[in-house]
Amino acid sequence: MAGTSTSAEAPLPVGEVSRLIGGWIDRLGAVWVEGQITQLSRRPGAGVVFLTLRDPSYDISVSVTCFRQVFDQVADVVSEGARVVVHAKPEWYAPRGQLSLRAAEIRPVGIGELLARLEQLKRTLGAEGLFALDRKKPLPFLPQLVGLVTGRASAAERDVLENARRRWPAVRFEVRNVAVQGVHAVPQVVQAVKELDELPEVDVIVVARGGGSVEDLLPFSDEQLVRAVAACRTPVVSAIGHEPDAPLLDLVADLRASTPTDAAKKVVPDVGEELDKVAALRDRALRTVRGLLDREERGLAAALARPSMERPHRMVDDREAEVDALVERSRRMLGHLLDRAESELSHTRARVLSLSPAATLERGYAVLQREDGAVVRSAGDVEEGTRLRARVAEGEFAVRVDGDGA
């Protein structure tokens, strides 16, 4: 059709368009296609079997037809819900403008092959860090609103709701009922998880299912679901009731619960247990406070029993007496020192007076001095007629040296 020239004035008829599309599709070769059978029509006596093959991760399906002998080769192991690989050639049914696949071979996908693919996907996602522990978000202690993704009127829904409300009656739920197996499971679960994650009042999301076979649990290992859960800002709890095989949802979720009942126990605290803890903490706090008060009371009583507290002025009185005694002792010592010093001074003064020139003059001696004040010490120091001054105890007078005296 790319080389066909058209315009509003020269349009192509519908039949021509359909014929051109059919010619283009006829040039396509055969392809291998994998999907899940959602509808299977085997009319008695009909030579053609009609199938609907659906992508389990996306809401996309395609019609498949095959001759009865092609389907009879796998009829015993293939039914609705089975995963198959089909070798088919695209066909265009011009009268209805419908695309379908004409299958020449159908192969069922075995459990071993599915598990091998899951293991490869697990390694790929793990290498990207989607299962790392440091990505796990802690659950709130007491969620006010719990998002629940589960099957409608299922045992898993009943187990989560009843056990959670039995543990904490005030807890509220935002429930999204979805298909938990089959071709519609993945898109519905992904959509429900995204819706709950966008609600700011939802504190935690629980994805619950009551166990099942490996094939039934395949939607919970789908890559699209794993990436959607990894992108959630809200903590997600995986509550798929199973034990032997762990779907990839368990690895990417922030917490894994073994069953829906276990999820209720891990998400919501038990009001009775919490009240017991509060009572125990209150009793412990009361005992601690009482112990502190008793210890302080004993310490206060011991302090008040001390003599310094019973007679607080006694210490001052004792110190006052000690100060008075020290002052009196100081005075006595100072008096003794002064008396001794005075006695020593008197003796020294007497010695000084006894050795002074004045005392010598008192005994009748005189001191002769020249006119220049020099003391005459020898008779040979003066000549006859020399005028001297004689100093005695009561004054002084002039004298002259005569010859006889010399």
Side-chain angles (χ1 to χ4, degrees):
M1 291 194 304
T4 304
S5 177
T6 63
S7 66
E9 291 73 18
L12 290 176
V14 173
E16 181 64 15
V17 172
S18 180
R19 185 186 66 78
L20 292 173
I21 294 175
W24 178 77
I25 292 178
D26 284 341
R27 291 194 294 270
L28 297 178
V31 293
W32 286 98
V33 182
E34 180 182 354
Q36 189 172 18
I37 298 176
T38 58
Q39 292 182 356
L40 175 59
S41 177
R42 299 174 62 189
R43 297 175 183 176
V48 178
V49 177
F50 296 90
L51 314 171
T52 298
L53 202 61
R54 189 182 186 91
D55 190 324
S57 298
Y58 301 93
D59 191 12
I60 299 174
S61 60
V62 64
S63 297
V64 179
T65 61
C66 67
F67 292 113
R68 190 177 191 91
Q69 56 267 30
V70 174
F71 185 81
D72 286 344
Q73 296 178 9
V74 293
D76 295 336
V77 293
V78 169
S79 60
E80 288 188 1
R83 289 202 179 198
V84 294
V85 175
V86 177
H87 190 236
K89 186 180 184 304
E91 289 185 344
W92 180 256
Y93 185 58
R96 294 185 182 178
Q98 182 178 358
L99 176 68
S100 64
L101 298 176
R102 170 71 70 171
E105 183 181 354
I106 300 176
R107 296 181 183 180
V109 178
I111 296 299
E113 186 176 355
L114 289 174
L115 293 178
R117 293 181 185 179
L118 290 182
E119 187 63 28
Q120 178 60 40
L121 179 60
K122 176 181 176 181
R123 287 195 296 268
T124 302
L125 299 178
E128 295 181 21
L130 268 62
F131 306 148
L133 293 179
D134 55 3
R135 297 185 73 258
K136 306 295 184 183
K137 294 178 287 293
L139 270 61
F141 167 70
L142 180 58
Q144 300 300 311
L145 183 63
V146 178
L148 176 60
V149 180
T150 187
R152 183 180 303 276
S154 62
E157 178 181 7
R158 183 178 63 255
D159 290 344
V160 173
L161 296 180
E162 290 182 358
N163 283 279
R165 288 167 178 163
R166 187 181 300 119
R167 292 171 64 83
W168 198 277
V171 67
R172 296 181 297 115
F173 281 89
E174 184 73 20
V175 181
R176 293 290 185 274
N177 293 121
V178 297
V180 292
Q181 70 182 60
V183 293
H184 301 287
V186 173
Q188 290 187 14
V189 173
V190 169
Q191 181 63 27
V193 169
K194 290 181 177 180
E195 288 180 3
L196 293 174
D197 187 51
E198 292 174 356
L199 297 177
E201 59 271 21
V202 173
D203 299 318
V204 62
I205 300 172
V206 178
V207 181
R209 175 194 160 91
S213 63
V214 175
E215 295 90 336
D216 294 338
L217 300 181
L218 286 177
F220 299 98
S221 292
D222 187 86
E223 180 177 0
Q224 184 185 2
L225 176 58
V226 171
R227 293 190 182 277
V229 171
C232 286
R233 62 166 184 83
T234 310
V236 177
V237 177
S238 173
I240 311 302
H242 61 91
E243 286 301 334
D245 301 302
L248 299 185
L249 178 63
D250 280 357
L251 303 179
V252 74
D254 299 293
L255 181 67
R256 174 195 177 273
S258 59
T259 61
T261 300
D262 184 47
K265 293 180 180 179
K266 290 182 175 179
V267 170
V268 180
D270 186 273
V271 62
E273 294 179 359
E274 298 305 319
L275 289 176
D276 291 341
K277 291 179 181 178
V278 170
L281 291 173
R282 182 185 297 132
D283 293 341
R284 180 181 176 184
L286 184 59
R287 290 194 302 272
T288 302
V289 171
R290 285 177 176 174
L292 290 175
L293 291 176
D294 292 342
R295 186 180 65 186
E296 296 302 321
E297 286 180 356
R298 291 193 299 271
L300 181 60
L304 292 176
R306 294 177 181 176
S308 59
M309 296 298 294
E310 290 183 344
R311 296 176 54 192
H313 295 288
R314 178 179 178 180
M315 183 182 297
V316 177
D317 295 340
D318 294 342
R319 296 296 179 268
E320 182 181 10
E322 292 178 3
V323 170
D324 292 341
L326 291 173
V327 170
E328 182 62 26
R329 180 180 176 186
S330 299
R331 287 176 178 173
R332 289 197 304 271
M333 292 183 64
L334 182 59
H336 293 323
L337 292 174
L338 292 176
D339 292 342
R340 187 171 64 183
E342 183 180 5
S343 177
E344 292 178 353
L345 182 60
S346 298
H347 290 301
T348 302
R349 181 173 181 276
R351 289 196 300 272
V352 170
L353 290 177
S354 64
L355 297 175
S356 67
T360 303
L361 295 178
E362 287 290 342
R363 294 197 297 272
Y365 293 93
V367 177
L368 297 177
Q369 296 176 308
R370 296 178 183 274
E371 290 180 353
D372 57 3
V375 178
V376 178
R377 302 181 183 279
S378 172
D381 294 339
V382 296
E383 298 178 353
E384 183 179 355
T386 301
R387 294 181 64 84
L388 303 173
R389 295 191 64 81
R391 183 177 180 182
V392 294
E394 299 296 333
E396 59 182 25
F397 53 88
V399 296
R400 178 180 297 199
V401 179
D402 58 15
D404 297 335

